[in-house]
Amino acid sequence: VDTAGTYAGIIYNGTDTVSFSFATAGAPSSMTLTPATQTVLVGAVADLEVNLLDSNLNATQPQTVDSVALTRSPTDDTIVALDDTQAGPAITGLVANNMATGSGYLSLATNPAAAGTTTVTATPAGTLPPAVTAQTATVVKSGTVSNVAIAGISLSTPANAVNAGTFPTKTALVPEGSTLITLAIDDTTAAAAGNPLRFAASLSAGGTINGSTATSGAPLIIAVTTDADKEASVPLTIGGAGALAASVLTVTQVNVLDASVKLSGTAVTETVTWQTPAVQPSDIVSTPAGNVVAMVGATTNVSVQVDDSFGTAQAGWTVRAYRTSVSAANLLSSGVTSATGAAAVTVSPLATTTNGQSESYIFSAQPPVGVMVSQAATSLTIDYSTSGNITSMSVSNGASASVCSNTSCTLTTLPLILTPSSGVVSASSSTGQFTVASGTATAAPTTSMMTFAPDTNPGNSVTVTVPEGVKVSATLPTATTLWSSGAQTATVADLGPAYVWATKTGSHDIVFESGGLTVTTKLVVVNTAADAYNIALTPAEQTIGTGAFGTATVKVTDVFGNAVAGTSDDTGGVTVSATGDVRLGGFQSSQAVNTDTNGEATVSVVAGNAAGTGALTAVPTNGTAASNAPAFRPIYTPPTGAPAPVTSAAALVRVTAITTKSITITGERATVSGRSGILVDGVVTGIEDGKTVVPYIRFPGQTTFTAGSARPEITDGEFVWQRKTGKRVTVYVTNDDGDVRSNRVTIQTS
């Protein structure tokens, strides 16, 4: 055909007829750019479409010499063309090959630093006629990047990174060669989850970050969005010289204009330095350390630990102990570190040392090949006394609750902490307090850690012992300290600190021992409804008669197996549903429950009027809602070392027809153990095998029946009971529940 339009025809072969139709397009007479207006988030991609149309508004393709030029204003966004299957490179226009069907596709990759409006213009070129005019589309880039400082930043990978500094200026050391760096972002200062954040990352020594070169003058901009817990994890792959010793990575929170975000005038910054592992003076640690007490003239055993700056034990190093300073004249003893980096040495006082005097000691470590490293100052001071004991000890805590001493330990208020349900231990001490008299919290717990400070006179190291479910450490927890860290005992210096946390709720004894004295204080541990982690439903199976009632118990526990009380719809709430031949109390098909102090809630189960089966299920009340307890959300990732949460439970209920219970007995005179007696045979219905029956007997002259001592057991629906007696007796039998009584039989004298 030579005229654009739609055509129809038939093909006929004398017998059969086939209809057909087709359409043709004319020369391009107009062009569209759609959508004319759209809104995207800052940094997102806006998709657009160019269409060439003929006079009848049919899509039509251009000639090979035709094209469409693409521009944008402002120019900080990038235009990318799309072919039939994939994105192409950044382009300046569409050509005939991109518009074989009359349509061309493009995207506008918006600059994450530039909110506002971008105008995209499509301009015809080549031999396209004047009627085909330029078209524009508006892309509104809405949304913002947070300009509020985050709550925290730290290095979580590599695991042996040394975090230091004080927020908002944090520092970290990593071993040279570390190519994966992961930043842990805490944005709990934000009003809501999903907060958009930006960070600028650069390397001082060159190299690459996530495959891109990034220097202080041209940093890599990283867009981050927080998760449901207002947190984010930012992995950075470091390449080239960036992973060599002395390289420095600087990561700074920035706003939408790439200006640094500040907290009290200080930029929020994490600085990471690559360092060659080496033993520093501070890496030579003695146990005991600080002030200790010993008997005059006594020799004290000391363990000296030698690690490098990243905590790697150094084996085969020679450790030396000196009095006062490092010199040959002051050398007291030496030892060699084992595979664990520990060496055993001894120290002892001068022969002239008397009661009340003290001596200080310092330690050095020398590698098999290399230069000796010495502590910067004396690390151990021993106070010598005639008895070798201290005179007093007291223990205070970070919650300012009751202070306990060896002479007075009246505990009216106890420190109160939370379980570390997030998987890591808090680095700050809780301010919670529990009042003993009322049995309630008078100051809510704030963190999962408590700091205890033992004070001895004279100064002496203190051994702290905690029960199972509680951990103690002489080292302050960091952002990566797992709940499984710590131990049941730790030795701390005079005035502590001793850091304690617990995975078991309740009240726990914390025992401090030093120089012959013992002080025991207490710590109270609780969880919250938001710690709901596991759902259980018991019994797993039960049988109920038709129309009868039963019960089922829901139990909610945390990741450690502790009961979780007070769950509600918007935290750890659970809904129980009944299907099949059972319903819940009030004939409901579902019921939301709140747990009691034992983490339990009981529901009534009502059986139908016909035999059959039913099922009970227990699931989080809000399903997949973000308001649920964290572990009940589908996107939840269990903490390191924790099992997956149990977010549903099921139970089977069998409904059986009620059978009428009965007991029928017959009796006769018999010989029992060689003497005159009676024999009673019984037949039961509706009573299970294995159950027992209770015989009752009345002799002549008696007005009441007395229970016999025997309890015959039902086997195959029958039982037998016998007794030695030559008298006339009347007998009946009941089941052990006492709700079914047999007929009476009278057996005459022998």
Side-chain angles (χ1 to χ4, degrees):
V1 299
D2 56 4
T3 302
T6 300
Y7 297 84
I10 59 171
I11 299 175
Y12 177 63
N13 66 355
T15 304
D16 300 310
T17 299
V18 175
S19 300
F20 67 94
S21 65
F22 62 92
T24 62
S29 63
S30 64
M31 181 174 66
T32 61
L33 177 61
T34 56
T37 302
Q38 63 177 301
T39 299
V40 298
L41 290 173
V42 171
V45 173
D47 294 316
L48 298 109
E49 180 178 351
V50 174
N51 282 287
L52 288 176
L53 306 174
D54 67 7
S55 58
N56 292 318
L57 302 182
N58 297 313
T60 186
Q61 65 187 116
Q63 299 185 64
T64 56
V65 295
D66 297 334
S67 63
V68 177
L70 302 171
T71 58
R72 75 277 189 204
S73 177
T75 59
D76 52 0
D77 298 334
T78 302
I79 293 179
V80 176
L82 303 177
D83 60 20
D84 292 339
T85 59
Q86 62 184 0
I91 64 165
T92 57
L94 293 167
V95 295
N97 286 344
N98 298 111
M99 303 186 68
T101 63
S103 300
Y105 303 91
L106 62 142
S107 64
L108 183 74
T110 64
N111 183 350
T117 300
T118 295
T119 300
V120 178
T121 302
T123 304
T127 63
L128 291 171
V132 180
T133 58
Q135 302 294 311
T136 62
T138 300
V139 177
V140 178
K141 298 169 288 184
S142 67
T144 59
V145 173
S146 177
N147 194 38
V148 177
I150 56 178
I153 184 171
S154 61
L155 207 63
S156 59
T157 303
N160 60 351
V162 179
N163 284 287
T166 302
F167 186 80
T169 304
K170 297 295 293 295
T171 62
L173 296 175
V174 297
E176 61 180 330
S178 301
T179 56
L180 177 61
I181 304 298
T182 303
L183 295 171
I185 307 298
D186 177 1
D187 193 32
T188 50
T189 52
N195 201 28
L197 303 169
R198 284 170 60 81
F199 296 88
S202 62
L203 288 166
S204 66
T208 59
I209 303 174
N210 293 346
S212 300
T213 301
T215 63
S216 57
L220 175 68
I221 301 300
I222 303 167
V224 176
T225 301
T226 58
D227 61 18
D229 297 319
K230 302 183 183 180
E231 296 174 347
S233 181
V234 183
L236 302 177
T237 300
I238 309 299
L244 300 181
S247 175
V248 178
L249 167 70
T250 302
V251 180
T252 304
Q253 184 185 359
V254 295
N255 61 19
V256 71
L257 299 176
D258 291 343
S260 61
V261 175
K262 297 182 178 181
L263 179 64
S264 301
T266 303
V268 176
T269 303
E270 172 86 26
T271 302
V272 183
T273 302
W274 276 256
Q275 186 181 76
T276 302
V279 174
Q280 306 296 326
S282 59
D283 298 322
I284 304 172
V285 179
S286 69
T287 302
N291 284 77
V292 301
V293 174
M295 186 179 296
V296 173
T299 296
T300 301
N301 296 319
V302 180
S303 175
V304 178
Q305 181 70 35
V306 182
D307 297 333
D308 68 14
S309 48
F310 297 101
T312 303
Q314 303 298 296
W317 286 52
T318 300
V319 172
R320 297 180 177 89
Y322 304 88
R323 180 185 293 114
T324 307
S325 62
V326 177
S327 68
N330 293 334
L331 179 64
L332 297 174
S333 64
S334 64
V336 178
T337 58
S338 65
T340 62
V345 295
T346 60
V347 297
S348 56
L350 290 166
T352 56
T353 301
T354 60
N355 181 56
Q357 292 184 324
S358 64
E359 285 188 354
S360 295
Y361 305 95
I362 190 170
F363 305 91
S364 69
Q366 185 165 8
V369 178
V371 179
M372 180 177 71
V373 180
S374 301
Q375 291 179 321
T378 56
S379 64
L380 172 63
T381 298
I382 299 181
D383 299 310
Y384 290 97
S385 68
T386 303
S387 66
N389 291 336
I390 63 175
T391 59
S392 65
M393 177 169 60
S394 64
V395 179
S396 60
N397 53 75
S400 299
S402 299
V403 176
C404 220
S405 73
N406 60 299
T407 59
S408 175
C409 197
T410 302
L411 298 173
T412 58
T413 55
L414 308 178
L416 181 64
I417 66 172
L418 298 165
T419 54
S421 57
S422 66
V424 296
V425 182
S426 301
S428 59
S429 193
S430 175
T431 59
Q433 282 192 15
F434 180 89
T435 299
V436 176
S438 65
T440 60
T442 48
T446 54
T447 67
S448 60
M449 186 272 289
M450 181 56 62
T451 304
F452 290 90
D455 184 4
T456 63
N457 184 27
N460 191 41
S461 61
V462 180
T463 299
V464 187
T465 304
V466 296
E468 287 295 328
V470 183
K471 294 295 183 71
V472 61
S473 174
T475 304
L476 177 68
T478 68
T480 58
T481 299
L482 300 178
W483 58 33
S484 54
S485 303
Q488 302 322 126
T489 63
T491 299
V492 300
D494 180 37
L495 299 178
Y499 305 102
V500 179
W501 59 91
T503 58
K504 184 178 180 180
T505 56
S507 177
H508 305 287
D509 287 344
I510 315 298
V511 181
F512 298 80
E513 297 176 284
S514 178
L517 296 181
T518 299
V519 171
T520 301
T521 187
K522 290 183 178 293
L523 173 69
V524 177
V525 184
V526 296
N527 57 20
T528 69
D531 291 334
Y533 199 86
N534 300 311
I535 301 172
L537 191 58
T538 56
E541 295 185 15
Q542 63 178 301
T543 300
I544 307 174
T546 53
F549 292 84
T551 61
T553 300
V554 177
K555 184 159 189 176
V556 178
T557 54
D558 63 17
V559 66
F560 308 109
N562 300 305
V564 177
T567 59
S568 61
D569 291 353
D570 58 354
T571 51
V574 174
T575 292
V576 181
S577 298
T579 57
D581 294 310
V582 294
R583 289 294 180 265
L584 302 177
F587 297 96
Q588 301 178 86
S589 59
S590 66
Q591 180 182 341
V593 298
N594 293 337
T595 55
D596 60 17
T597 55
N598 296 316
E600 296 179 345
T602 300
V603 295
S604 297
V605 182
V606 184
N609 292 324
T613 59
L616 303 178
T617 56
V619 297
T621 293
N622 284 340
T624 61
S627 59
N628 261 331
F632 288 176
R633 301 174 191 167
I635 62 172
Y636 177 77
T637 300
T640 302
V646 179
T647 57
S648 65
L652 175 67
V653 182
R654 294 185 178 89
V655 180
T656 60
I658 297 178
T659 303
T660 301
K661 299 177 182 179
S662 67
I663 304 175
T664 303
I665 62 173
T666 59
E668 62 183 349
R669 182 63 59 181
T671 299
V672 179
S673 299
R675 295 176 58 185
S676 178
I678 61 171
L679 180 67
V680 175
D681 291 305
V683 177
V684 303
T685 60
I687 304 176
E688 299 94 331
D689 283 353
K691 295 286 189 178
T692 59
V693 295
V694 182
Y696 288 83
I697 189 168
R698 187 180 67 189
F699 293 98
Q702 293 181 335
T703 59
T704 60
F705 285 82
T706 302
S709 59
R711 296 292 184 271
E713 183 176 305
I714 299 170
T715 303
D716 296 330
E718 299 179 352
F719 64 88
V720 176
W721 175 62
Q722 60 185 10
R723 175 171 172 155
K724 289 184 288 185
T725 180
K727 298 180 180 181
R728 176 180 178 276
V729 294
T730 301
V731 178
Y732 73 86
V733 175
T734 70
N735 64 340
D736 53 9
D737 292 330
D739 58 354
V740 180
R741 177 183 291 189
S742 74
N743 58 302
R744 293 182 184 181
V745 295
T746 299
I747 304 172
Q748 302 297 329
T749 59
S750 57

